[in-house]
Amino acid sequence: MISRTWFENPDHVVYAVKDEVIPRLSRELGISDLAQRIEDFSKAPTQEGENIKGLKRTTLKLMVPNLVFGEPIEMGENVWIYMGELCPAYCLYTPWEK
């Protein structure tokens, strides 16, 4: 069960620049179209999120925490990758231009 308090714990979250982490996760999890699936989900997110199965016996969930939980969390408007409570959740963001 996904809980808001788990996502609010900084020990459980990695804030990651999308363009830096997605290629690595795509290779490691065996999901060749991960970048496109994240892009599609970010354009039309749903409250229930999207489950994606990888080739290496892994499943991840794309989600937007502010849609899932009743109250907003820090950076909760972004797409997050959740792979279970034993792995960190990845909050994907695009840095501001300098």
Coordinates of all heavy atoms in Angstrom, one line a residue:
M1 N 0.8 -1.2 0.0 CA 0.0 0.0 0.0 C 0.9 1.2 0.0 O 1.8 1.4 0.8 CB -0.9 0.0 1.2 CG -1.9 1.1 1.3 SD -3.1 0.8 0.1 CE -4.2 2.1 0.5
I2 N 0.6 2.1 -0.9 CA 1.4 3.4 -1.0 C 0.9 4.4 0.0 O -0.3 4.6 0.0 CB 1.3 3.9 -2.5 CG1 1.8 3.0 -3.5 CG2 2.0 5.3 -2.6 CD1 1.6 3.4 -4.9
S3 N 1.8 4.9 0.8 CA 1.3 5.9 1.8 C 2.0 7.2 1.6 O 3.2 7.3 1.2 CB 1.6 5.4 3.2 OG 2.9 5.4 3.5
R4 N 1.3 8.3 1.9 CA 1.9 9.6 1.8 C 3.1 9.8 2.7 O 4.1 10.5 2.2 CB 0.7 10.6 2.1 CG 1.2 12.1 2.0 CD -0.1 13.0 2.2 NE 0.4 14.3 2.4 CZ 0.3 14.9 3.6 NH1 -0.3 14.3 4.6 NH2 0.7 16.1 3.7
T5 N 3.0 9.3 3.9 CA 4.2 9.5 4.8 C 5.4 8.9 4.3 O 6.5 9.4 4.5 CB 3.8 9.0 6.2 OG1 3.4 7.6 6.1 CG2 2.7 9.8 6.8
W6 N 5.3 7.7 3.6 CA 6.5 7.1 3.0 C 7.1 8.0 2.0 O 8.4 8.2 1.9 CB 6.1 5.8 2.3 CG 7.3 5.0 1.9 CD1 8.0 4.0 2.6 CD2 8.0 5.0 0.6 NE1 9.0 3.5 1.9 CE2 9.0 4.1 0.7 CE3 7.8 5.7 -0.5 CZ2 9.9 3.9 -0.4 CZ3 8.6 5.5 -1.6 CH2 9.7 4.6 -1.5
F7 N 6.3 8.7 1.1 CA 6.9 9.6 0.1 C 7.4 10.9 0.7 O 8.3 11.5 0.1 CB 5.8 9.9 -0.9 CG 5.6 8.8 -1.9 CD1 4.7 7.8 -1.6 CD2 6.3 8.7 -3.1 CE1 4.4 6.8 -2.5 CE2 6.1 7.7 -4.0 CZ 5.2 6.7 -3.7
E8 N 7.0 11.3 1.9 CA 7.5 12.5 2.5 C 8.8 12.3 3.2 O 9.5 13.2 3.6 CB 6.4 13.0 3.5 CG 5.2 13.5 2.8 CD 4.1 14.0 3.8 OE1 3.9 13.3 4.8 OE2 3.5 15.0 3.5
N9 N 9.2 11.0 3.4 CA 10.5 10.7 4.1 C 11.6 10.9 3.1 O 11.7 10.2 2.1 CB 10.4 9.3 4.6 CG 11.7 8.9 5.4 OD1 12.8 9.4 5.2 ND2 11.5 8.0 6.3
P10 N 12.5 11.9 3.4 CA 13.6 12.1 2.4 C 14.6 10.9 2.2 O 15.2 10.9 1.2 CB 14.4 13.3 3.0 CG 13.9 13.4 4.4 CD 12.6 12.7 4.5
D11 N 14.6 10.0 3.1 CA 15.4 8.8 2.9 C 14.8 7.9 1.9 O 15.5 7.0 1.4 CB 15.5 8.0 4.2 CG 16.3 8.8 5.3 OD1 17.1 9.6 4.9 OD2 16.1 8.5 6.5
H12 N 13.6 8.1 1.5 CA 13.0 7.2 0.5 C 12.9 7.8 -0.9 O 12.4 7.2 -1.8 CB 11.5 6.9 0.9 CG 11.5 6.1 2.2 ND1 10.3 6.1 3.0 CD2 12.4 5.3 2.8 CE1 10.5 5.4 4.0 NE2 11.8 4.9 4.0
V13 N 13.4 9.0 -1.1 CA 13.2 9.7 -2.3 C 14.5 10.2 -3.0 O 15.4 10.6 -2.3 CB 12.3 11.0 -2.1 CG1 12.1 11.8 -3.4 CG2 11.0 10.6 -1.5
V14 N 14.6 10.0 -4.3 CA 15.7 10.5 -5.1 C 15.1 11.6 -6.0 O 14.2 11.2 -6.8 CB 16.4 9.4 -5.9 CG1 17.5 10.0 -6.8 CG2 17.0 8.4 -5.0
Y15 N 15.6 12.8 -5.9 CA 15.2 13.8 -6.8 C 16.1 13.8 -8.0 O 17.3 14.0 -7.9 CB 15.2 15.2 -6.1 CG 14.2 15.3 -5.0 CD1 14.5 15.1 -3.7 CD2 12.8 15.5 -5.3 CE1 13.6 15.1 -2.7 CE2 11.9 15.5 -4.3 CZ 12.3 15.3 -3.0 OH 11.4 15.3 -1.9
A16 N 15.6 13.4 -9.2 CA 16.4 13.1 -10.3 C 16.0 14.0 -11.5 O 14.8 14.1 -11.8 CB 16.3 11.7 -10.6
V17 N 17.0 14.5 -12.2 CA 16.8 15.2 -13.5 C 16.4 14.1 -14.5 O 17.1 13.1 -14.7 CB 18.1 15.9 -13.9 CG1 17.9 16.6 -15.3 CG2 18.5 17.0 -12.9
K18 N 15.3 14.3 -15.1 CA 14.7 13.3 -16.1 C 15.7 12.8 -17.1 O 15.9 11.6 -17.3 CB 13.5 13.9 -16.8 CG 12.3 14.0 -16.0 CD 11.0 14.2 -16.8 CE 11.1 15.3 -17.8 NZ 9.8 15.7 -18.4
D19 N 16.4 13.7 -17.7 CA 17.3 13.4 -18.8 C 18.5 12.6 -18.4 O 19.2 11.9 -19.2 CB 17.8 14.6 -19.6 CG 16.6 15.3 -20.3 OD1 15.6 14.7 -20.5 OD2 16.7 16.5 -20.5
E20 N 18.8 12.7 -17.1 CA 20.0 12.0 -16.6 C 19.7 10.6 -16.1 O 20.5 9.6 -16.2 CB 20.6 12.8 -15.4 CG 21.2 14.1 -15.9 CD 21.7 14.9 -14.7 OE1 21.7 14.5 -13.6 OE2 22.2 16.1 -15.0
V21 N 18.5 10.4 -15.5 CA 18.2 9.1 -14.8 C 17.4 8.1 -15.7 O 17.5 6.9 -15.6 CB 17.4 9.3 -13.5 CG1 16.0 9.7 -13.7 CG2 17.5 8.1 -12.6
I22 N 16.6 8.6 -16.6 CA 15.7 7.8 -17.4 C 16.5 6.8 -18.3 O 16.2 5.6 -18.4 CB 14.7 8.6 -18.3 CG1 13.7 9.2 -17.3 CG2 14.0 7.7 -19.3 CD1 12.7 10.2 -18.0
P23 N 17.6 7.3 -19.0 CA 18.3 6.3 -19.8 C 18.9 5.2 -19.0 O 18.9 4.0 -19.4 CB 19.4 7.2 -20.5 CG 18.9 8.5 -20.5 CD 18.0 8.6 -19.2
R24 N 19.4 5.5 -17.8 CA 20.0 4.5 -16.9 C 18.9 3.5 -16.5 O 19.1 2.3 -16.5 CB 20.7 5.1 -15.7 CG 21.4 4.1 -14.8 CD 22.1 4.8 -13.7 NE 21.2 5.6 -12.8 CZ 20.4 5.2 -11.9 NH1 20.4 3.9 -11.6 NH2 19.7 6.0 -11.2
L25 N 17.8 4.0 -16.0 CA 16.7 3.1 -15.5 C 16.2 2.3 -16.7 O 15.9 1.1 -16.5 CB 15.6 3.9 -14.9 CG 15.9 4.5 -13.5 CD1 14.7 5.4 -13.0 CD2 16.1 3.4 -12.5
S26 N 16.1 2.9 -17.8 CA 15.6 2.1 -19.0 C 16.5 0.9 -19.3 O 16.0 -0.2 -19.5 CB 15.6 3.0 -20.2 OG 15.1 2.4 -21.3
R27 N 17.8 1.1 -19.2 CA 18.7 0.0 -19.4 C 18.6 -1.1 -18.3 O 18.5 -2.3 -18.5 CB 20.2 0.5 -19.5 CG 20.6 1.0 -20.9 CD 22.1 1.3 -20.9 NE 22.6 2.0 -19.8 CZ 22.6 3.4 -19.7 NH1 22.1 4.1 -20.7 NH2 23.1 4.0 -18.6
E28 N 18.7 -0.6 -17.1 CA 18.7 -1.5 -15.9 C 17.4 -2.3 -15.7 O 17.5 -3.4 -15.3 CB 18.9 -0.7 -14.6 CG 20.4 -0.1 -14.5 CD 20.6 0.7 -13.2 OE1 19.6 0.8 -12.4 OE2 21.7 1.3 -13.1
L29 N 16.3 -1.7 -16.1 CA 15.0 -2.4 -15.9 C 14.5 -3.1 -17.1 O 13.6 -3.9 -17.1 CB 13.9 -1.4 -15.5 CG 14.3 -0.6 -14.2 CD1 13.2 0.4 -13.9 CD2 14.4 -1.6 -13.0
G30 N 15.2 -2.9 -18.3 CA 14.8 -3.6 -19.5 C 13.5 -3.0 -20.1 O 12.7 -3.8 -20.6
I31 N 13.3 -1.7 -20.0 CA 12.1 -1.0 -20.6 C 12.6 -0.1 -21.6 O 12.9 1.1 -21.3 CB 11.3 -0.3 -19.5 CG1 11.0 -1.3 -18.3 CG2 10.0 0.3 -20.1 CD1 10.3 -0.7 -17.1
S32 N 12.7 -0.5 -22.8 CA 13.3 0.3 -23.9 C 12.5 1.6 -24.2 O 13.1 2.6 -24.6 CB 13.5 -0.5 -25.2 OG 12.2 -1.0 -25.6
D33 N 11.2 1.6 -24.0 CA 10.4 2.8 -24.3 C 10.0 3.6 -23.1 O 9.1 4.3 -23.1 CB 9.2 2.4 -25.1 CG 8.2 1.5 -24.3 OD1 8.7 0.9 -23.3 OD2 7.1 1.3 -24.7
L34 N 10.9 3.5 -22.0 CA 10.5 4.1 -20.7 C 10.4 5.6 -20.9 O 9.4 6.2 -20.4 CB 11.6 3.8 -19.7 CG 11.3 4.4 -18.3 CD1 10.0 3.9 -17.7 CD2 12.5 4.1 -17.3
A35 N 11.3 6.3 -21.6 CA 11.2 7.7 -21.8 C 9.9 8.1 -22.5 O 9.3 9.1 -22.0 CB 12.4 8.2 -22.6
Q36 N 9.5 7.4 -23.5 CA 8.3 7.8 -24.2 C 7.0 7.5 -23.3 O 6.1 8.3 -23.3 CB 8.1 6.9 -25.5 CG 6.9 7.3 -26.3 CD 6.9 8.8 -26.7 OE1 7.9 9.2 -27.3 NE2 5.9 9.5 -26.5
R37 N 7.1 6.5 -22.5 CA 5.9 6.2 -21.6 C 5.8 7.2 -20.5 O 4.7 7.6 -20.2 CB 6.1 4.8 -21.0 CG 6.2 3.7 -22.1 CD 5.4 2.5 -22.2 NE 4.4 2.1 -21.3 CZ 4.2 0.9 -20.9 NH1 5.1 -0.1 -21.3 NH2 3.2 0.6 -20.2
I38 N 6.9 7.7 -20.0 CA 6.9 8.8 -19.0 C 6.4 10.0 -19.7 O 5.5 10.7 -19.1 CB 8.3 9.0 -18.4 CG1 8.7 7.8 -17.6 CG2 8.4 10.3 -17.6 CD1 10.1 7.8 -17.1
E39 N 6.8 10.3 -20.9 CA 6.4 11.5 -21.6 C 4.9 11.5 -21.8 O 4.1 12.4 -21.6 CB 7.1 11.7 -22.9 CG 6.8 12.9 -23.7 CD 7.3 14.2 -23.0 OE1 8.3 14.1 -22.2 OE2 6.6 15.2 -23.1
D40 N 4.4 10.3 -22.3 CA 2.9 10.2 -22.5 C 2.1 10.3 -21.2 O 1.1 10.9 -21.2 CB 2.6 8.8 -23.1 CG 3.2 8.7 -24.6 OD1 3.6 9.7 -25.2 OD2 3.3 7.5 -25.0
F41 N 2.6 9.7 -20.1 CA 1.9 9.8 -18.8 C 1.9 11.2 -18.3 O 0.9 11.6 -17.8 CB 2.6 8.8 -17.8 CG 1.9 8.8 -16.5 CD1 0.7 8.2 -16.3 CD2 2.4 9.5 -15.4 CE1 0.0 8.2 -15.1 CE2 1.8 9.5 -14.2 CZ 0.6 8.9 -14.0
S42 N 3.0 11.9 -18.5 CA 3.1 13.3 -18.0 C 2.1 14.2 -18.7 O 1.6 15.2 -18.1 CB 4.5 13.8 -18.1 OG 4.9 14.0 -19.4
K43 N 1.8 13.9 -19.9 CA 0.8 14.7 -20.7 C -0.6 14.4 -20.2 O -1.5 15.3 -20.3 CB 0.9 14.4 -22.2 CG 2.2 15.0 -22.7 CD 2.3 14.6 -24.2 CE 3.7 15.1 -24.8 NZ 3.8 14.7 -26.1
A44 N -0.9 13.2 -19.7 CA -2.3 12.8 -19.3 C -2.2 11.9 -18.1 O -2.5 10.7 -18.2 CB -3.0 12.1 -20.5
P45 N -1.7 12.4 -16.9 CA -1.6 11.6 -15.8 C -3.0 11.2 -15.2 O -4.0 11.9 -15.4 CB -0.9 12.5 -14.8 CG -1.2 13.9 -15.2 CD -1.3 13.8 -16.7
T46 N -3.0 10.1 -14.6 CA -4.2 9.6 -13.9 C -4.0 9.4 -12.4 O -2.9 9.2 -12.0 CB -4.7 8.3 -14.6 OG1 -3.7 7.3 -14.4 CG2 -5.0 8.4 -16.0
Q47 N -5.1 9.4 -11.7 CA -5.0 9.2 -10.2 C -4.4 7.8 -9.9 O -3.6 7.7 -9.0 CB -6.3 9.4 -9.6 CG -6.3 9.3 -8.1 CD -7.6 9.5 -7.4 OE1 -8.6 9.5 -8.0 NE2 -7.6 9.6 -6.1
E48 N -4.8 6.8 -10.7 CA -4.3 5.4 -10.4 C -2.9 5.2 -10.9 O -2.3 4.2 -10.5 CB -5.3 4.4 -10.9 CG -5.6 4.5 -12.3 CD -6.7 5.5 -12.6 OE1 -7.4 6.0 -11.7 OE2 -6.9 5.9 -13.8
G49 N -2.3 6.1 -11.7 CA -1.0 5.9 -12.2 C -0.9 4.8 -13.3 O -2.0 4.4 -13.8
E50 N 0.3 4.4 -13.7 CA 0.5 3.4 -14.7 C 1.5 2.4 -14.3 O 2.6 2.8 -13.9 CB 0.9 4.1 -16.0 CG 1.1 3.1 -17.2 CD 1.6 3.8 -18.4 OE1 1.4 5.0 -18.6 OE2 2.1 3.1 -19.3
N51 N 1.2 1.2 -14.3 CA 2.2 0.1 -14.0 C 2.9 -0.3 -15.3 O 2.2 -0.5 -16.3 CB 1.5 -1.1 -13.4 CG 1.0 -0.8 -12.0 OD1 1.6 -0.1 -11.2 ND2 -0.2 -1.2 -11.7
I52 N 4.2 -0.5 -15.3 CA 5.0 -0.9 -16.4 C 5.8 -2.1 -16.0 O 6.6 -2.0 -15.0 CB 5.9 0.3 -16.9 CG1 5.0 1.5 -17.3 CG2 6.7 -0.2 -18.1 CD1 5.8 2.7 -17.6
K53 N 5.8 -3.2 -16.8 CA 6.6 -4.3 -16.5 C 7.9 -4.2 -17.3 O 7.9 -3.9 -18.5 CB 5.9 -5.6 -16.8 CG 4.7 -5.9 -15.9 CD 4.2 -7.3 -16.2 CE 3.1 -7.5 -15.1 NZ 2.6 -8.9 -15.2
G54 N 9.0 -4.6 -16.6 CA 10.3 -4.6 -17.3 C 10.6 -6.0 -17.7 O 10.0 -7.0 -17.3
L55 N 11.7 -6.2 -18.4 CA 12.2 -7.5 -18.8 C 12.9 -8.2 -17.7 O 13.0 -9.4 -17.8 CB 13.1 -7.4 -20.1 CG 12.4 -6.8 -21.3 CD1 13.5 -6.7 -22.4 CD2 11.3 -7.7 -21.8
K56 N 13.4 -7.5 -16.8 CA 14.2 -8.1 -15.7 C 13.5 -8.4 -14.5 O 13.9 -8.1 -13.4 CB 15.5 -7.2 -15.5 CG 16.3 -7.1 -16.8 CD 17.5 -6.3 -16.5 CE 18.3 -6.2 -17.8 NZ 19.5 -5.4 -17.7
R57 N 12.2 -8.9 -14.6 CA 11.4 -9.3 -13.5 C 11.1 -8.1 -12.5 O 11.1 -8.2 -11.3 CB 12.0 -10.4 -12.7 CG 12.0 -11.7 -13.6 CD 12.7 -12.8 -12.9 NE 12.2 -13.0 -11.5 CZ 12.5 -14.0 -10.8 NH1 13.3 -14.9 -11.2 NH2 12.0 -14.1 -9.6
T58 N 10.9 -6.9 -13.1 CA 10.6 -5.7 -12.3 C 9.4 -5.1 -12.8 O 9.0 -5.2 -14.0 CB 11.8 -4.7 -12.4 OG1 12.0 -4.3 -13.8 CG2 13.1 -5.2 -11.8
T59 N 8.7 -4.4 -11.9 CA 7.5 -3.6 -12.3 C 7.7 -2.3 -11.6 O 8.1 -2.2 -10.5 CB 6.2 -4.3 -11.8 OG1 6.1 -5.6 -12.5 CG2 5.0 -3.4 -12.2
L60 N 7.4 -1.2 -12.3 CA 7.4 0.1 -11.7 C 6.0 0.8 -11.9 O 5.3 0.3 -12.7 CB 8.5 0.9 -12.3 CG 8.6 1.3 -13.8 CD1 7.7 2.5 -14.1 CD2 10.0 1.5 -14.2
K61 N 5.8 1.8 -11.1 CA 4.6 2.5 -11.2 C 4.9 4.0 -11.5 O 5.7 4.6 -10.7 CB 3.8 2.4 -9.9 CG 2.5 3.1 -10.0 CD 1.7 3.0 -8.6 CE 0.3 3.2 -8.8 NZ -0.4 2.2 -9.5
L62 N 4.3 4.5 -12.5 CA 4.4 6.0 -12.8 C 3.2 6.6 -12.1 O 2.1 6.1 -12.1 CB 4.3 6.3 -14.3 CG 5.4 5.7 -15.2 CD1 5.1 6.1 -16.6 CD2 6.8 6.1 -14.7
M63 N 3.5 7.7 -11.3 CA 2.4 8.3 -10.6 C 2.7 9.8 -10.4 O 3.9 10.2 -10.5 CB 2.2 7.6 -9.2 CG 3.5 7.7 -8.4 SD 3.3 6.8 -6.8 CE 2.2 7.8 -5.9
V64 N 1.7 10.5 -10.1 CA 1.8 11.9 -9.6 C 1.2 12.0 -8.2 O 0.0 11.9 -8.1 CB 1.1 12.9 -10.6 CG1 1.1 14.3 -10.1 CG2 1.6 12.8 -12.0
P65 N 2.1 12.1 -7.2 CA 1.6 12.0 -5.8 C 0.5 12.9 -5.5 O -0.4 12.6 -4.7 CB 2.9 12.3 -5.0 CG 4.0 11.8 -5.9 CD 3.5 12.1 -7.2
N66 N 0.5 14.1 -6.0 CA -0.6 15.1 -5.7 C -1.9 14.6 -6.2 O -3.0 15.1 -5.7 CB -0.2 16.5 -6.1 CG 0.8 17.1 -5.3 OD1 1.3 16.6 -4.3 ND2 1.2 18.3 -5.7
L67 N -2.0 13.8 -7.2 CA -3.2 13.2 -7.7 C -3.7 12.0 -6.8 O -4.9 11.7 -6.7 CB -3.1 12.8 -9.1 CG -2.9 13.8 -10.2 CD1 -2.8 13.2 -11.5 CD2 -4.1 14.8 -10.2
V68 N -2.7 11.3 -6.2 CA -3.0 10.1 -5.5 C -3.4 10.4 -4.0 O -4.4 9.8 -3.5 CB -1.7 9.2 -5.4 CG1 -1.9 8.0 -4.5 CG2 -1.4 8.8 -6.8
F69 N -2.7 11.4 -3.4 CA -3.0 11.7 -2.0 C -3.9 12.9 -1.9 O -3.9 13.8 -2.7 CB -1.7 11.9 -1.2 CG -0.7 10.8 -1.4 CD1 0.6 11.0 -2.0 CD2 -1.0 9.5 -1.1 CE1 1.5 10.0 -2.2 CE2 -0.1 8.5 -1.3 CZ 1.1 8.7 -1.8
G70 N -4.6 13.0 -0.8 CA -5.5 14.1 -0.6 C -4.8 15.5 -0.4 O -5.4 16.5 -0.6
E71 N -3.6 15.5 0.1 CA -2.9 16.7 0.3 C -1.6 16.7 -0.5 O -1.0 15.6 -0.7 CB -2.5 16.8 1.8 CG -3.7 16.9 2.7 CD -3.3 16.9 4.2 OE1 -2.3 17.5 4.5 OE2 -4.0 16.3 5.0
P72 N -1.1 17.9 -0.9 CA 0.1 17.9 -1.7 C 1.3 17.6 -0.9 O 1.4 17.8 0.3 CB 0.1 19.3 -2.3 CG -0.8 20.1 -1.4 CD -1.8 19.2 -0.8
I73 N 2.4 17.1 -1.6 CA 3.7 16.8 -0.9 C 4.7 17.7 -1.7 O 4.4 18.1 -2.9 CB 4.0 15.4 -0.9 CG1 4.3 14.8 -2.3 CG2 3.0 14.5 -0.1 CD1 4.9 13.4 -2.3
E74 N 5.9 17.8 -1.2 CA 6.9 18.5 -1.9 C 7.2 17.9 -3.2 O 7.5 16.6 -3.3 CB 8.2 18.5 -1.0 CG 9.3 19.3 -1.6 CD 10.5 19.4 -0.7 OE1 10.4 19.1 0.5 OE2 11.6 19.8 -1.2
M75 N 7.2 18.6 -4.3 CA 7.5 18.2 -5.7 C 6.5 17.2 -6.1 O 6.7 16.4 -7.1 CB 8.9 17.6 -5.8 CG 10.0 18.6 -5.4 SD 10.6 19.7 -6.6 CE 11.4 18.6 -7.8
G76 N 5.3 17.1 -5.5 CA 4.3 16.1 -5.8 C 3.6 16.3 -7.1 O 2.8 15.5 -7.5
E77 N 3.8 17.4 -7.7 CA 3.2 17.7 -9.0 C 3.9 17.1 -10.2 O 3.4 17.0 -11.3 CB 3.0 19.2 -9.3 CG 4.3 19.9 -9.5 CD 5.2 20.3 -8.3 OE1 4.8 19.9 -7.1 OE2 6.2 20.9 -8.4
N78 N 5.1 16.5 -9.9 CA 5.9 15.9 -10.9 C 5.6 14.4 -11.0 O 4.9 13.8 -10.2 CB 7.4 16.0 -10.5 CG 7.9 17.4 -10.5 OD1 7.9 18.1 -11.6 ND2 8.3 17.9 -9.4
V79 N 6.0 13.8 -12.1 CA 5.9 12.3 -12.3 C 7.0 11.7 -11.4 O 8.1 12.1 -11.4 CB 6.1 11.9 -13.8 CG1 6.1 10.4 -13.9 CG2 5.0 12.5 -14.6
W80 N 6.5 10.7 -10.7 CA 7.5 9.9 -9.9 C 7.5 8.4 -10.4 O 6.5 7.9 -10.9 CB 7.0 9.9 -8.4 CG 7.1 11.2 -7.7 CD1 6.8 12.5 -8.2 CD2 7.6 11.4 -6.4 NE1 7.0 13.4 -7.2 CE2 7.5 12.8 -6.1 CE3 8.1 10.6 -5.4 CZ2 7.9 13.3 -4.9 CZ3 8.5 11.1 -4.2 CH2 8.4 12.5 -4.0
I81 N 8.6 7.8 -10.2 CA 8.7 6.3 -10.4 C 8.8 5.6 -9.1 O 9.7 5.9 -8.3 CB 10.0 6.0 -11.3 CG1 9.9 6.7 -12.7 CG2 10.1 4.5 -11.4 CD1 11.1 6.5 -13.5
Y82 N 7.9 4.7 -8.9 CA 7.8 4.0 -7.6 C 8.0 2.5 -7.9 O 7.3 2.0 -8.8 CB 6.4 4.2 -7.0 CG 6.2 3.4 -5.7 CD1 6.9 3.7 -4.5 CD2 5.3 2.3 -5.7 CE1 6.6 3.0 -3.4 CE2 5.1 1.6 -4.6 CZ 5.8 1.9 -3.4 OH 5.5 1.2 -2.2
M83 N 9.0 1.9 -7.2 CA 9.3 0.5 -7.5 C 9.2 -0.4 -6.2 O 9.7 -1.4 -6.1 CB 10.7 0.4 -8.0 CG 10.9 1.0 -9.4 SD 12.5 0.8 -10.2 CE 13.5 1.9 -9.1
G84 N 8.4 0.1 -5.3 CA 8.2 -0.6 -4.0 C 8.9 0.0 -2.9 O 9.8 0.8 -3.0
E85 N 8.6 -0.4 -1.7 CA 9.1 0.2 -0.5 C 10.5 -0.1 -0.2 O 11.2 0.5 0.6 CB 8.2 -0.1 0.7 CG 6.9 0.5 0.7 CD 6.0 0.3 1.9 OE1 6.5 -0.4 2.8 OE2 4.9 0.8 2.0
L86 N 11.1 -1.1 -0.9 CA 12.5 -1.4 -0.7 C 13.4 -0.7 -1.6 O 14.7 -0.7 -1.4 CB 12.7 -2.9 -0.9 CG 11.9 -3.8 0.1 CD1 12.2 -5.3 -0.2 CD2 12.3 -3.5 1.5
C87 N 12.9 0.1 -2.5 CA 13.7 0.9 -3.5 C 13.3 2.4 -3.3 O 12.2 2.7 -2.9 CB 13.4 0.5 -4.9 SG 13.8 -1.2 -5.3
P88 N 14.2 3.3 -3.6 CA 13.8 4.7 -3.5 C 12.8 5.0 -4.6 O 12.8 4.4 -5.7 CB 15.1 5.4 -3.7 CG 16.0 4.5 -4.5 CD 15.6 3.1 -4.0
A89 N 12.0 6.0 -4.4 CA 11.1 6.5 -5.4 C 11.9 7.6 -6.1 O 12.6 8.4 -5.5 CB 9.8 7.1 -4.8
Y90 N 11.7 7.7 -7.4 CA 12.4 8.8 -8.2 C 11.4 9.9 -8.5 O 10.4 9.6 -9.2 CB 13.0 8.2 -9.5 CG 14.2 7.3 -9.3 CD1 14.0 5.9 -9.0 CD2 15.5 7.8 -9.2 CE1 15.0 5.1 -8.8 CE2 16.5 6.9 -9.0 CZ 16.3 5.6 -8.8 OH 17.4 4.8 -8.6
C91 N 11.7 11.1 -8.1 CA 10.9 12.2 -8.4 C 11.6 12.8 -9.6 O 12.7 13.3 -9.6 CB 10.8 13.2 -7.3 SG 10.1 14.8 -7.8
L92 N 10.9 12.8 -10.8 CA 11.5 13.3 -12.0 C 11.2 14.8 -12.2 O 10.0 15.2 -12.2 CB 11.0 12.5 -13.2 CG 11.2 11.0 -13.1 CD1 10.5 10.3 -14.3 CD2 12.6 10.6 -13.0
Y93 N 12.2 15.5 -12.5 CA 12.0 17.0 -12.8 C 12.9 17.4 -13.8 O 13.9 16.8 -14.2 CB 12.1 17.8 -11.5 CG 13.5 17.9 -11.0 CD1 14.3 19.0 -11.3 CD2 14.1 16.9 -10.1 CE1 15.6 19.1 -10.8 CE2 15.3 17.1 -9.7 CZ 16.1 18.2 -10.0 OH 17.4 18.3 -9.5
T94 N 12.6 18.6 -14.4 CA 13.5 19.3 -15.4 C 14.0 20.6 -14.7 O 13.1 21.4 -14.2 CB 12.7 19.7 -16.6 OG1 12.1 18.5 -17.2 CG2 13.6 20.3 -17.7
P95 N 15.3 20.7 -14.6 CA 15.8 21.9 -13.9 C 15.4 23.2 -14.6 O 15.3 23.2 -15.8 CB 17.3 21.7 -13.8 CG 17.6 20.6 -14.8 CD 16.3 19.9 -15.1
W96 N 15.3 24.3 -13.9 CA 15.1 25.6 -14.5 C 16.3 26.0 -15.3 O 17.4 25.6 -15.0 CB 14.8 26.6 -13.4 CG 13.6 26.4 -12.7 CD1 12.5 25.7 -13.0 CD2 13.2 26.9 -11.4 NE1 11.5 25.7 -12.1 CE2 11.9 26.5 -11.1 CE3 13.9 27.7 -10.5 CZ2 11.3 26.9 -9.9 CZ3 13.3 28.1 -9.3 CH2 12.0 27.7 -9.0
E97 N 16.0 26.8 -16.3 CA 17.1 27.3 -17.1 C 17.9 28.4 -16.2 O 17.3 29.1 -15.4 CB 16.6 28.0 -18.3 CG 16.1 27.1 -19.4 CD 15.7 27.8 -20.7 OE1 16.5 28.7 -21.1 OE2 14.7 27.4 -21.2
K98 N 19.2 28.4 -16.4 CA 20.0 29.3 -15.6 C 20.0 30.7 -16.3 O 19.9 30.9 -17.4 CB 21.5 28.8 -15.6 CG 21.6 27.5 -14.8 CD 23.0 27.0 -14.8 CE 23.0 25.7 -14.1 NZ 24.3 25.1 -14.1

